[in-house]
Amino acid sequence: MLFQGEAHRYLFDLPRWFDVGAVFFFAVTGAMVAVKRGYDLIGLFAMSFISGLGGALIRDGIFLQDGPPGLTRDGRYIVAVLAGSIIGWILGVRMERFQRPIALIDAIGLGTYGIYGTSRSLEVGLSYPAAVLVGIINACGGSLLRDIVTREEPLLLKPGQLYVLASLLGCVGFVLLTLHTPLSTQVAAWIAIISTIAFRVLAITLDWRTRPVKSGWWLHGSGRPPEPPPAEPK
C-alpha cells in the first residue's frame, strides 16, 4: 500500500560519534542564546538541552514510543550537552564571528537528522507521510522548542530562507529512493542527506526565501494580491 510503511529495509545506521558530536554543537548554539538573554546557569543548561536534544526527544517520546528515549540510555548525550553548555558559556557572543561555519554545520544536521528520523519512523512501522513528518520534526524540533521556551515567535513560522522545505524535500526524496529504486538504504540515505545539505547551502548563498501567504489572490487572475479599495472622499 502506498501510505503504509514497511519496517524492513529502512534502517539507516547513523554513526554514534556523529550523533553525539551534532548534539554537542547544537548545545553550544543553545548556550549562546542563553548568554544573549542573560539566563543563569540552570537556564543556560536548559537551553543547551533543548537545542541539542529537543528534536530527538519529541521523536522518541511522542511519536516512536519505542522504549525509553535514546538520550536516557546513553550517557554520552547528556555529557555532550554539558560540554556544549560550558563551551557556549565561555565563548558567548564571540561565536557570532563564525556565522558561515555555524550555518554549514546546521545544514549538515538538518539533512542528517531529517533522514535519520524518517528512517527510524519507518523502521517501527509508521506510514510514509507520518515518517516524513517525524523526520522534519527531528531536524527542526530543537529550534522550535527553543523559540517557544524563550517566548519568541518561532522562526520556522515566519517568511525567511528556505529551511523546513529543504528538510521536507530530503525526507520525501529518501522515501522515494527506497521505494522506487534498487538502491540500498544507506546509499539512498546519503544521497538524500547530501541533496538536503546542498539545497540548504544554495538557499543561504542565493538567499532563497519564502513569502507571506496572501489570501484570495487567485480570485483576481493577475497573480497579485487584491488592491485595497480607494479611500472615500471626506
Side-chain angles (χ1 to χ4, degrees):
M1 294 177 62
L2 177 61
F3 294 103
Q4 180 61 49
E6 299 175 7
H8 64 284
R9 72 171 289 203
Y10 288 112
L11 179 60
F12 168 54
D13 189 17
L14 181 66
R16 187 58 57 90
W17 63 265
F18 180 95
D19 198 12
V20 175
V23 168
F24 165 78
F25 171 78
F26 291 126
V28 171
T29 64
M32 291 167 56
V33 172
V35 171
K36 285 183 179 180
R37 298 183 68 90
Y39 291 176
D40 62 11
L41 288 178
I42 300 300
L44 184 140
F45 178 80
M47 293 304 301
S48 296
F49 183 90
I50 290 170
S51 300
L53 294 170
L57 190 60
I58 296 174
R59 179 198 68 208
D60 294 343
I62 298 179
F63 291 100
L64 302 189
Q65 298 183 5
D66 184 27
L71 65 93
T72 64
R73 290 180 283 182
D74 190 334
R76 286 176 290 183
Y77 291 109
I78 303 298
V79 172
V81 169
L82 182 59
S85 302
I86 296 172
I87 296 299
W89 178 25
I90 293 173
L91 297 179
V93 295
R94 284 175 289 182
M95 282 290 291
E96 290 186 351
R97 69 184 67 178
F98 304 108
Q99 285 298 321
R100 284 190 175 275
I102 288 174
L104 177 59
I105 296 176
D106 182 73
I108 294 172
L110 180 75
T112 305
Y113 281 123
I115 306 309
Y116 182 65
T118 303
S119 169
R120 284 286 310 279
S121 302
L122 292 173
E123 180 191 359
V124 300
L126 267 64
S127 66
Y128 299 125
V132 170
L133 175 62
V134 174
I136 295 171
I137 292 173
N138 193 173
C140 308
S143 61
L144 179 62
L145 285 177
R146 182 190 63 213
D147 290 342
I148 292 174
V149 169
T150 56
R151 297 184 182 181
E152 294 284 349
E153 185 177 8
L155 292 175
L156 300 181
L157 306 182
K158 297 189 292 186
Q161 285 182 345
L162 301 184
Y163 190 78
V164 176
L165 182 60
S167 180
L168 171 64
L169 293 176
C171 294
V172 171
F174 170 69
V175 171
L176 293 178
L177 286 173
T178 52
L179 276 176
H180 300 297
T181 71
L183 296 173
S184 68
T185 301
Q186 297 296 315
V187 173
W190 284 114
I191 290 175
I193 289 170
I194 293 171
S195 300
T196 304
I197 296 170
F199 187 90
R200 175 59 181 155
V201 170
L202 285 173
I204 295 172
T205 303
L206 303 177
D207 199 25
W208 292 343
R209 292 180 173 270
T210 58
R211 296 183 178 180
V213 174
K214 300 293 185 180
S215 177
W217 60 267
W218 59 87
L219 300 177
H220 297 265
S222 63
R224 299 178 180 177
E227 296 291 336
E232 297 182 1
K234 295 184 180 179

